[in-house]
Structure formats: structure tokens, C-alpha cells
């Protein structure tokens, strides 16, 4: 019988060489997979509740943009726009090439002939809107959705955030010239020394010395709008540590006491200001808002005091009262012992272009007074880029 020779056993160096080839192949395959995911990441179909990944968009600075710059009016609405008739009259006196409109409303709500009295608002709602709860991070997520959508149009160079109770105090030509004449954003921002809204656990991501407070109603230049939309660092911290404190319910006993200890930092009054301070951009800001709000301090339960915006009714919107608002030319910030004199393009101007909160009756009175009617633009603000 002839014995078969045993099968040859691969040499040790052959095994090592095969192993290295396998490692190299898997490494290359993983690199290609990662590149594929980055290139084809489904930003457009991802959940609108998160903007953790910035959209890929062209970065167009005001100096590189050639064309007519536009103001993007960004409306945060609970449902419809009750003052659409006033804004419709305001926009009728404008060139449609000079503005854009975006509305964040309740998911599923559509602006059309049956829900709006002005065709300027037809189909201007976001298709990826979210449920917004006052005092929670969903408010600033809605703002970011508005900005992200508006940034898709390279002609949009100024971004104005407005509530559904805001009114313009001047006609379009004046407001357009005012905003375009300034190369800065208008962001009410100051040191928050009295309120205990800063959570120590926000550190070190958000240093306490960068914590700022201010009005939610902002006007941004394009580069600052991009900073907000692209943020992946500060927003998660706000979402983690800023929880809405529920109303007092004594029937819950000890659980109620625990809930009342929940940290409540009101994200919409801190997020933009803090993010821009952390980005070392405060030198590029007019640190004031262009939207007037009258605050009324009222005593609440448990000896706490709360500030509430006053609603202007028909009787309040007198020509004298509107003139008083327009004549305001400076804002004093007690926490910084700072007086902010209102200027645009080095020219002294009225501080406020818009006001809130106005009822339908008050808006009708403004309309009858011709507040948003034709206005002869002077050379006051010079540069219109």
C-alpha cells in the first residue's frame, strides 16, 4: 500500500502575510464606508427634533454675494398669524426681491386662503416643524429650524426672529435700510448676575463667565446664523440641564417638592447670547434688541416675582405712545453698568424697529395711523449692503 504524503502546512510567514492583507482590506473597507455615510447622510429626512449634524451648505459671505440682499422674516407662531393683515400691508410696500418669509407653526398647520388674510404667507410654513413648549429647549430648536431653512437661500443676508404678536414700527424701506446698513447682528446680551439659572454641571462645556442673558428676539447677519445652526456643543448641554419647572401642585406631596427643585433656565433667553459669547463674537454685535417689549413685574405665589410682557390693546396704541417707543435712543444694563446708545452705521437711530405684544385691535389702530405706509428713505443710513 502506498501511503499518501500529508498535506503541506502553510509556512508561518504565509499566515502572517495573509493576516496583514486581511487587516489592510478591512481598514480600507471601513474608510470607504465612513466616507459613504458622511457624503450621503440623510439630513433632509432626519428627525426635525435634532440638528446635531449641520446641513452641508455653501458658505457665502456678504462680500462674496452678488445680488440683491434679502431680509428673512422668521415667524415663531403658535398656530396662525393673527396680525397677518398688518404685515400684509407692510409687505405690499416692499420689493419682493428684498425679503423672504418663513413660519414655524404647529406641525401640520398650512397657511393658505383659508388660514391667512395675506398671500405673502401662503405655503411659507416649515414642513419639518416641531411641537414647542415654552421654557424648554424645543423653543430654540424651532429657531434653529427657521434659520437652517432660511440659510438655504444665499440671498438671505439678515435674519429677523419675530413672534406672532410682533408689529413693525416703520415701513419696509426704513427697516431694510436700517438692518442692511449695519455689518453687525442685533442681539440683546448682558451678564446674568441675579438669576440662578446657570447650572454648575454645565461647566466646563459652558464656562460660567460666558453665561449671558437677553431678549429672544434677535436680528442676525448670515455668518452668525450659521454659527447657531452648526452648533453641536452648546445645545446638548441646554437640553440636558434646562428642564421646565412644572406649576405647583400640592396634591403631589413630596414629589411636587422634588419637581420644584428642577433647574429652570429658560433656554430662549440664554442660548443665542451664550453661544455667541463662547464663540468670541460679542465684538461683532450691537448688544441690544430691535424689538420693544414692555415688562410688568407681578407678585406670584410663594413670594416669587415674575416678569410678564404687557399686551398692547387698542386704547394703548395711541400715536403718542408709539412715538414714545420710537424716541427711545438708548438702553441701560444694570448688571454691567452699561448704557447702550443705539446706532447703525455710526449714526444715532431709534432703538426699536418692532414691538410686541400687540392685540388685533392695537394692530388695526397702527394700520389706520399709516405706521407701515409709504416712507421716503433718506440717506441717513448710507451703505445698503
Amino acid at each position: 500500500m502506498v501511503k499518501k504524503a500529508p498535506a503541506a502546512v502553510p509556512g508561518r510567514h504565509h499566515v502572517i502575510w495573509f493576516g496583514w492583507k486581511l487587516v489592510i482590506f478591512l481598514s480600507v473597507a471601513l474608510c470607504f464606508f465612513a466616507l459613504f455615510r458622511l457624503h450621503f447622510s440623510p439630513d433632509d429626512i432626519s428627525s426635525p427634533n435634532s440638528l446635531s449634524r449641520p446641513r452641508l451648505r455653501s458658505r457665502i459671505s456678504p462680500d462674496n454675494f452678488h445680488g440683491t440682499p434679502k431680509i428673512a422674516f422668521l415667524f415663531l407662531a403658535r398656530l396662525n398669524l393673527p396680525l397677518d393683515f398688518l404685515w400684509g400691508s407692510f409687505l405690499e410696500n416692499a420689493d419682493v426681491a428684498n425679503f423672504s418669509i418663513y413660519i414655524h407653526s404647529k406641525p401640520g398647520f398650512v397657511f393658505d386662503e383659508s388660514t391667512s388674510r395675506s398671500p405673502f404667507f401662503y405655503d411659507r410654513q416649515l414642513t419639518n416643524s416641531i411641537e414647542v413648549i415654552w421654557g424648554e429647549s424645543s423653543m430654540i430648536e424651532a429657531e434653529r429650524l427657521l434659520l437652517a431653512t432660511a440659510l438655504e437661500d444665499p440671498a438671505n443676508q439678515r435674519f429677523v426672529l419675530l413672534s406672532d404678536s410682533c408689529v413693525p414700527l416703520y415701513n419696509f424701506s426704513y427697516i431694510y435700510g436700517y438692518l442692511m446698513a449695519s455689518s453687525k447682528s442685533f442681539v440683546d446680551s448682558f451678564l446674568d448676575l441675579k438669576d440662578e439659572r446657570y447650572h454648575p454641571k454645565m461647566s466646563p462645556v459652558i464656562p460660567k463667565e460666558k453665561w449671558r442673558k437677553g431678549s429672544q428676539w434677535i436680528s442676525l447677519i448670515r455668518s452668525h446664523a450659521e454659527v447657531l445652526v452648526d452648533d453641536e456643543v452648546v445645545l446638548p448641554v441646554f437640553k440636558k440641564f434646562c428642564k421646565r419647572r412644572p406649576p405647583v401642585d400640592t396634591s403631589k406631596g413630596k414629589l411636587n417638592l422634588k419637581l420644584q427643585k428642577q433647574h429652570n433656565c429658560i433656554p430662549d433667553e440664554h442660548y443665542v447670547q451664550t453661544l455667541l459669547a463662547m464663540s468670541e463674537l460679542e465684538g461683532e454685535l450691537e448688544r441690544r434688541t430691535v424689538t420693544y417689549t414692555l415688562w410688568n413685574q407681578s407678585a406670584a405665589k410663594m413670594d416669587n416675582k415674575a416678569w410678564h410682557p404687557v399686551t398692547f390693546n387698542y386704547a394703548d396704541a395711541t400715536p403718542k405712545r408709539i412715538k414714545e417707543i420710537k424716541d427711545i435712543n438708548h438702553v441701560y444694563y444694570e448688571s454691567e453698568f452699561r448704557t447702550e446708545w443705539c446706532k447703525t452705521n455710526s449714526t444715532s437711530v431709534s432703538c426699536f424697529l418692532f414691538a410686541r405684544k400687540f392685540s388685533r385691535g392695537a394692530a388695526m389702530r397702527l394700520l389706520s395711523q399709516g405706521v407701515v405706509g409709504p416712507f421716503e428713505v433718506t440717506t441717513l443710513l448710507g451703505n445698503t449692503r
Side-chain angles (χ1 to χ4, degrees):
M1 180 183 293
V2 180
K3 294 185 179 179
K4 292 183 179 180
V9 179
R12 184 177 178 182
H13 68 280
H14 288 294
V15 174
I16 294 174
W17 174 242
F18 177 79
W20 275 112
K21 286 172 65 177
L22 182 61
V23 169
I24 294 171
F25 174 79
L26 291 175
S27 299
V28 172
L30 286 172
C31 287
F32 275 108
F33 178 74
L35 289 171
F36 180 86
R37 288 291 302 274
L38 285 173
H39 187 69
F40 294 100
S41 57
D43 291 312
D44 293 333
I45 59 174
S46 60
S47 170
N49 293 332
S50 173
L51 281 174
S52 59
R53 266 195 306 245
R55 295 188 181 202
L56 299 177
R57 76 175 71 82
S58 60
R59 297 298 195 220
I60 301 177
S61 70
D63 295 333
N64 295 330
F65 174 74
H66 301 288
T68 302
K70 295 195 289 188
I71 297 176
F73 293 107
L74 315 176
F75 288 91
L76 271 175
R78 285 163 288 191
L79 192 65
N80 64 343
L81 291 176
L83 308 184
D84 55 1
F85 60 91
L86 177 65
W87 284 98
S89 179
F90 169 79
L91 294 169
E92 281 178 0
N93 297 303
D95 187 333
V96 293
N98 291 338
F99 68 89
S100 302
I101 294 174
Y102 305 88
I103 310 169
H104 185 284
S105 183
K106 185 176 181 179
F109 187 84
V110 176
F111 284 80
D112 55 24
E113 296 88 344
S114 65
T115 58
S116 178
R117 286 159 288 194
S118 173
F120 288 110
F121 299 108
Y122 293 172
D123 296 319
R124 300 311 303 159
Q125 71 281 345
L126 301 190
T127 58
N128 59 346
S129 61
I130 61 174
E131 288 287 350
V132 174
I133 300 175
W134 184 88
E136 294 192 357
S137 296
S138 56
M139 181 73 78
I140 54 179
E141 290 182 275
E143 294 175 13
R144 283 159 50 95
L145 286 170
L146 281 166
L147 288 167
T149 305
L151 281 168
E152 293 176 0
D153 183 350
N156 289 328
Q157 296 293 317
R158 301 294 184 272
F159 304 79
V160 181
L161 188 65
L162 301 160
S163 77
D164 54 14
S165 66
C166 278
V167 298
L169 294 174
Y170 297 90
N171 68 24
F172 181 86
S173 297
Y174 182 85
I175 291 176
Y176 183 87
Y178 188 115
L179 295 177
M180 291 297 175
S182 177
S183 60
K184 296 184 176 183
S185 293
F186 294 89
V187 178
D188 187 47
S189 178
F190 54 91
L191 296 175
D192 182 22
L193 301 178
K194 294 183 179 180
D195 291 334
E196 297 179 355
R197 294 182 178 178
Y198 178 81
H199 198 302
K201 291 185 178 180
M202 290 179 171
S203 179
V205 178
I206 302 178
K208 189 173 183 179
E209 63 270 17
K210 295 295 184 180
W211 183 252
R212 299 289 187 270
K213 183 180 179 181
S215 170
Q216 174 185 6
W217 312 109
I218 57 178
S219 174
L220 300 178
I221 60 175
R222 187 175 180 90
S223 60
H224 294 167
E226 290 174 340
V227 170
L228 264 66
V229 171
D230 291 346
D231 169 43
E232 297 178 337
V233 176
V234 178
L235 179 63
V237 178
F238 271 81
K239 292 175 70 174
K240 183 175 182 179
F241 295 109
C242 290
K243 305 295 183 181
R244 186 185 184 191
R245 185 179 300 142
V248 176
D249 183 355
T250 55
S251 65
K252 293 184 177 180
K254 292 183 179 180
L255 176 59
N256 177 73
L257 295 175
K258 182 179 180 180
L259 291 172
Q260 289 305 303
K261 292 180 180 180
Q262 188 166 274
H263 203 74
N264 187 23
C265 77
I266 317 298
D268 55 89
E269 293 183 359
H270 295 274
Y271 172 70
V272 174
Q273 292 79 2
T274 299
L275 174 60
L276 294 177
M278 290 179 59
S279 303
E280 305 297 336
L281 293 172
E282 288 186 303
E284 299 178 13
L285 306 178
E286 294 284 354
R287 292 174 62 194
R288 61 183 177 87
T289 180
V290 289
T291 300
Y292 176 82
T293 305
L294 178 62
W295 293 92
N296 176 45
Q297 191 179 36
S298 60
K301 294 181 180 180
M302 301 171 64
D303 294 325
N304 288 330
K305 290 187 175 181
W307 289 88
H308 300 283
V310 174
T311 298
F312 286 80
N313 294 312
Y314 181 90
D316 305 310
T318 63
K320 179 182 177 182
R321 188 70 185 96
I322 300 304
K323 184 179 183 302
E324 289 173 351
I325 297 173
K326 289 183 175 183
D327 286 346
I328 298 173
N329 63 0
H330 69 279
V331 182
Y332 179 68
Y333 292 92
E334 183 180 355
S335 65
E336 300 178 359
F337 304 103
R338 169 172 61 95
T339 298
E340 189 77 16
W341 293 94
C342 301
K343 294 183 178 181
T344 294
N345 199 28
S346 301
T347 303
S348 296
V349 292
S350 170
C351 292
F352 302 110
L353 299 176
F354 311 96
R356 62 183 291 269
K357 304 172 59 171
F358 274 61
S359 66
R360 287 189 179 91
M364 285 294 295
R365 189 164 187 175
L366 284 184
L367 193 60
S368 66
Q369 293 170 14
V371 170
V372 299
F375 182 85
E376 188 64 30
V377 180
T378 67
T379 57
L380 174 68
L381 303 177
N383 180 25
T384 58
R385 173 57 67 86

